Protein backbone atom coordinates (compact mmCIF):
# COMPACT_ATOMS: atom_id res chain seq x y z
CA UNK A 1 0.00 0.00 0.00
CA UNK A 2 1.03 3.61 -0.45
CA UNK A 3 1.25 5.85 2.63
CA UNK A 4 2.19 9.45 3.00
CA UNK A 5 4.67 9.92 5.82
CA UNK A 6 3.94 12.95 8.00
CA UNK A 7 7.61 13.85 8.36
CA UNK A 8 10.54 15.04 6.30
CA UNK A 9 13.03 13.48 8.73
CA UNK A 10 15.15 11.13 6.57
CA UNK A 11 16.29 9.08 9.60
CA UNK A 12 12.71 8.34 10.60
CA UNK A 13 11.85 7.54 6.99
CA UNK A 14 14.71 5.00 6.77
CA UNK A 15 13.65 3.32 10.01
CA UNK A 16 10.00 3.17 8.92
CA UNK A 17 10.87 1.84 5.45
CA UNK A 18 12.63 -1.11 7.05
CA UNK A 19 9.56 -1.83 9.20
CA UNK A 20 6.99 -1.27 6.43
CA UNK A 21 8.87 -3.15 3.74
CA UNK A 22 6.46 -4.11 0.96
CA UNK A 23 4.68 -0.76 1.31
CA UNK A 24 5.51 2.53 -0.38
CA UNK A 25 6.22 5.45 1.95
CA UNK A 26 6.24 8.94 0.43
CA UNK A 27 7.36 12.07 2.25
CA UNK A 28 5.71 15.41 1.43
CA UNK A 29 9.12 16.98 0.77
CA UNK A 30 9.94 14.40 -1.91
CA UNK A 31 7.13 15.75 -4.11
CA UNK A 32 7.72 19.40 -3.27
CA UNK A 33 4.90 19.75 -0.72
CA UNK A 34 5.58 22.19 2.10
CA UNK A 35 4.70 20.40 5.32
CA UNK A 36 5.54 21.94 8.68
CA UNK A 37 2.40 21.99 10.85
CA UNK A 38 2.52 23.65 14.26
CA UNK A 39 2.82 20.89 16.86
CA UNK A 40 0.53 22.62 19.33
CA UNK A 41 -0.70 19.55 21.23
CA UNK A 42 0.18 18.78 24.83
CA UNK A 43 0.86 15.05 24.33
CA UNK A 44 2.68 12.91 21.76
CA UNK A 45 -0.66 11.50 20.66
CA UNK A 46 -2.24 14.93 20.12
CA UNK A 47 0.75 16.03 18.05
CA UNK A 48 0.68 12.84 16.01
CA UNK A 49 -2.96 13.43 15.12
CA UNK A 50 -2.27 17.08 14.29
CA UNK A 51 0.47 16.02 11.85
CA UNK A 52 -1.57 13.16 10.38
CA UNK A 53 -4.68 15.30 9.76
CA UNK A 54 -2.64 18.20 8.39
CA UNK A 55 -1.01 15.94 5.81
CA UNK A 56 -4.29 14.20 5.00
CA UNK A 57 -5.79 17.62 4.22
CA UNK A 58 -3.04 18.10 1.64
CA UNK A 59 -3.08 14.67 -0.01
CA UNK A 60 -6.44 12.96 0.79
CA UNK A 61 -4.74 9.57 0.94
CA UNK A 62 -3.71 7.28 3.85
CA UNK A 63 -1.14 8.84 6.17
CA UNK A 64 1.33 7.37 8.65
CA UNK A 65 2.43 9.85 11.32
CA UNK A 66 4.63 9.58 14.37
CA UNK A 67 5.52 11.93 17.16
CA UNK A 68 8.35 10.89 19.39
CA UNK A 69 10.81 12.13 21.94
CA UNK A 70 12.89 11.51 25.03
CA UNK A 71 11.28 11.61 28.50
CA UNK A 72 13.54 11.79 31.56
CA UNK A 73 12.07 10.85 34.95
CA UNK A 74 14.24 13.23 36.99
CA UNK A 75 13.18 16.13 34.73
CA UNK A 76 9.46 15.32 35.14
CA UNK A 77 9.30 13.90 31.62
CA UNK A 78 11.23 16.67 29.85
CA UNK A 79 12.18 17.30 27.11
CA UNK A 80 9.21 15.11 26.05
CA UNK A 81 7.12 16.65 23.28
CA UNK A 82 9.70 19.45 23.07
CA UNK A 83 12.57 17.03 22.27
CA UNK A 84 13.22 18.46 18.79
CA UNK A 85 13.15 22.00 20.18
CA UNK A 86 15.15 21.46 23.41
CA UNK A 87 17.62 24.32 23.89
CA UNK A 88 16.28 26.38 20.96
CA UNK A 89 16.66 30.13 21.19
CA UNK A 90 14.57 32.57 19.11
CA UNK A 91 13.20 29.64 17.10
CA UNK A 92 16.69 28.54 16.04
CA UNK A 93 17.12 24.80 16.63
CA UNK A 94 20.38 23.36 17.96
CA UNK A 95 22.25 20.59 16.17
CA UNK A 96 21.64 17.14 17.70
CA UNK A 97 25.09 16.97 19.29
CA UNK A 98 24.58 20.42 20.84
CA UNK A 99 21.25 19.32 22.32
CA UNK A 100 22.87 16.21 23.73
CA UNK A 101 25.71 18.18 25.32
CA UNK A 102 23.24 20.64 26.85
CA UNK A 103 21.10 17.85 28.25
CA UNK A 104 24.12 16.03 29.71
CA UNK A 105 25.10 19.30 31.41
CA UNK A 106 21.58 19.73 32.84
CA UNK A 107 21.79 16.13 34.14
CA UNK A 108 25.30 16.48 35.63
CA UNK A 109 24.25 16.49 39.31
CA UNK A 110 21.33 14.08 38.85
CA UNK A 111 21.69 10.48 40.00
CA UNK A 112 18.32 9.11 38.81
CA UNK A 113 19.16 8.57 35.12
CA UNK A 114 15.98 6.65 34.13
CA UNK A 115 14.56 7.76 30.77
CA UNK A 116 12.69 6.44 27.77
CA UNK A 117 12.01 7.15 24.14
CA UNK A 118 8.29 7.33 23.38
CA UNK A 119 6.73 6.97 19.96
CA UNK A 120 3.10 7.66 19.27
CA UNK A 121 2.06 6.44 15.82
CA UNK A 122 -1.13 6.98 13.89
CA UNK A 123 -2.30 5.32 10.71
CA UNK A 124 -5.00 7.60 9.38
CA UNK A 125 -7.47 6.90 6.57
CA UNK A 126 -9.62 10.01 7.12
CA UNK A 127 -10.08 12.65 9.85
CA UNK A 128 -12.33 10.31 11.82
CA UNK A 129 -10.87 6.90 10.92
CA UNK A 130 -7.50 6.20 12.41
CA UNK A 131 -5.53 3.62 14.43
CA UNK A 132 -3.17 4.55 17.24
CA UNK A 133 -0.23 2.80 18.92
CA UNK A 134 2.18 4.19 21.51
CA UNK A 135 5.40 2.38 22.46
CA UNK A 136 8.52 2.98 24.56
CA UNK A 137 12.21 2.10 24.72
CA UNK A 138 13.46 2.17 28.32
CA UNK A 139 17.00 3.18 29.18
CA UNK A 140 19.28 5.46 31.20
CA UNK A 141 20.95 8.75 30.34
CA UNK A 142 24.67 8.03 30.04
CA UNK A 143 27.26 10.57 31.28
CA UNK A 144 29.13 10.96 27.95
CA UNK A 145 27.81 10.55 24.38
CA UNK A 146 28.70 7.20 22.76
CA UNK A 147 28.23 5.88 19.22
CA UNK A 148 27.59 7.34 15.80
CA UNK A 149 24.53 5.47 14.51
CA UNK A 150 20.89 6.52 14.55
CA UNK A 151 19.98 10.15 15.18
CA UNK A 152 18.89 12.67 17.80
CA UNK A 153 19.35 11.51 21.37
CA UNK A 154 20.54 7.99 20.41
CA UNK A 155 24.14 8.60 21.64
CA UNK A 156 23.00 9.45 25.18
CA UNK A 157 20.39 6.75 25.87
CA UNK A 158 22.07 3.65 27.32
CA UNK A 159 20.14 0.37 27.12
CA UNK A 160 21.28 -1.90 30.00
CA UNK A 161 20.01 -5.13 28.34
CA UNK A 162 22.13 -4.35 25.24
CA UNK A 163 25.15 -3.02 27.15
CA UNK A 164 25.43 0.00 24.82
CA UNK A 165 23.76 3.22 23.74
CA UNK A 166 21.15 3.25 20.97
CA UNK A 167 23.72 4.94 18.70
CA UNK A 168 26.00 1.90 19.11
CA UNK A 169 23.33 -0.49 17.77
CA UNK A 170 23.06 -1.48 14.11
CA UNK A 171 19.98 -0.16 12.26
CA UNK A 172 18.39 -3.62 12.46
CA UNK A 173 19.11 -4.00 16.15
CA UNK A 174 17.68 -0.56 16.92
CA UNK A 175 14.52 -1.33 14.93
CA UNK A 176 14.04 -4.63 16.80
CA UNK A 177 13.85 -2.97 20.22
CA UNK A 178 13.00 0.66 19.57
CA UNK A 179 9.86 2.62 20.42
CA UNK A 180 9.34 3.30 16.67
CA UNK A 181 10.13 -0.29 15.65
CA UNK A 182 7.64 -1.77 18.12
CA UNK A 183 4.92 0.76 17.28
CA UNK A 184 5.51 0.32 13.55
CA UNK A 185 5.28 -3.47 13.70
CA UNK A 186 2.02 -3.25 15.67
CA UNK A 187 0.59 -0.89 13.05
CA UNK A 188 1.83 -3.12 10.21
CA UNK A 189 0.09 -6.15 11.80
CA UNK A 190 -3.10 -4.17 12.26
CA UNK A 191 -2.94 -3.15 8.63
CA UNK A 192 -3.04 -6.78 7.56
CA UNK A 193 -6.42 -7.13 9.31
CA UNK A 194 -8.15 -3.89 8.36
CA UNK A 195 -7.35 -3.25 4.72
P1 LIG B 1 9.33 14.87 16.09
O1 LIG B 1 9.89 14.86 14.70
O2 LIG B 1 8.48 16.04 16.39
O3 LIG B 1 8.66 13.57 16.42
O4 LIG B 1 10.57 15.06 17.05
C1 LIG B 1 11.22 14.00 17.54
C2 LIG B 1 12.50 14.42 18.21
O5 LIG B 1 12.70 13.52 19.30
C3 LIG B 1 13.67 14.22 17.27
O6 LIG B 1 14.07 15.43 16.68
C4 LIG B 1 14.75 13.68 18.18
O7 LIG B 1 15.42 14.73 18.81
C5 LIG B 1 13.96 12.92 19.25
N1 LIG B 1 13.79 11.49 18.87
C6 LIG B 1 12.67 10.87 18.43
N2 LIG B 1 12.91 9.58 18.14
C7 LIG B 1 14.21 9.40 18.36
C8 LIG B 1 15.06 8.26 18.21
O8 LIG B 1 14.68 7.17 17.76
N3 LIG B 1 16.34 8.46 18.55
C9 LIG B 1 16.81 9.64 19.03
N4 LIG B 1 16.08 10.73 19.16
C10 LIG B 1 14.77 10.61 18.84
Amino acid sequence: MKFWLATNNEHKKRELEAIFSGHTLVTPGSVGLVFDPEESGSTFLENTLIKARALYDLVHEPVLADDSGLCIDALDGRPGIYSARYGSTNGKKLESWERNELLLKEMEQITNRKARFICSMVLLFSHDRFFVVQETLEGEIIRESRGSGGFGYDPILYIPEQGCTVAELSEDAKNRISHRGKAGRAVAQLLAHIV
Side-chain angles (χ1 to χ4, degrees):
M1 237 184 120
K2 173 186 168 190
F3 298 106
W4 288 89
L5 266 194
T7 183
N8 284 313
N9 178 329
E10 280 303 316
H11 292 281
K12 277 190 184 179
K13 183 179 181 221
R14 272 244 302 277
E15 290 185 7
L16 290 168
E17 271 174 343
I19 299 161
F20 287 87
S21 59
H23 298 279
T24 305
L25 306 183
V26 187
T27 57
S30 69
V31 296
L33 281 175
V34 177
F35 179 70
D36 190 17
E38 191 189 342
E39 296 179 22
S40 54
S42 56
T43 62
F44 290 109
L45 176 55
E46 280 175 16
N47 280 340
T48 314
L49 265 176
I50 287 172
K51 290 191 232 183
R53 285 179 170 143
L55 185 54
Y56 181 81
D57 285 342
L58 290 175
V59 299
H60 300 288
E61 287 183 335
V63 167
L64 185 65
D66 100 315
D67 196 59
S68 45
L70 176 66
C71 296
I72 301 175
D73 285 354
L75 302 182
D76 297 325
R78 280 195 304 114
I81 59 168
Y82 301 107
S83 292
R85 291 166 268 175
Y86 176 74
S88 299
T89 37
N90 302 323
K92 190 181 173 302
K93 282 186 186 172
L94 297 179
E95 297 292 331
S96 288
W97 67 268
E98 292 174 313
R99 273 202 297 270
N100 290 344
E101 290 306 306
L102 191 64
L103 197 50
L104 291 186
K105 190 129 194 56
E106 187 178 354
M107 293 284 294
E108 228 165 40
Q109 307 299 325
I110 294 175
T111 49
N112 175 9
R113 316 289 296 184
K114 275 210 173 86
R116 67 202 51 78
F117 283 141
I118 295 182
C119 172
S120 170
M121 194 175 284
V122 169
L123 175 64
L124 182 136
F125 292 96
S126 71
H127 266 240
D128 298 317
R129 183 171 185 242
F130 53 83
F131 298 83
V132 176
V133 177
Q134 185 164 303
E135 267 290 4
T136 60
L137 171 58
E138 300 284 336
E140 295 162 11
I141 302 298
I142 201 166
R143 291 206 172 257
E144 276 183 14
S145 289
R146 269 170 45 180
S148 55
F151 71 101
Y153 297 99
D154 282 348
I156 64 167
L157 190 71
Y158 179 81
I159 310 299
E161 296 78 19
Q162 306 293 320
C164 64
T165 68
V166 182
E168 292 175 303
L169 293 171
S170 67
E171 283 184 23
D172 275 0
K174 177 179 174 185
N175 260 347
R176 270 198 296 278
I177 62 163
S178 80
H179 49 318
R180 191 168 301 100
K182 289 186 283 189
R185 281 190 297 278
V187 169
Q189 275 184 15
L190 212 119
L191 195 56
H193 293 286
I194 57 176
V195 177

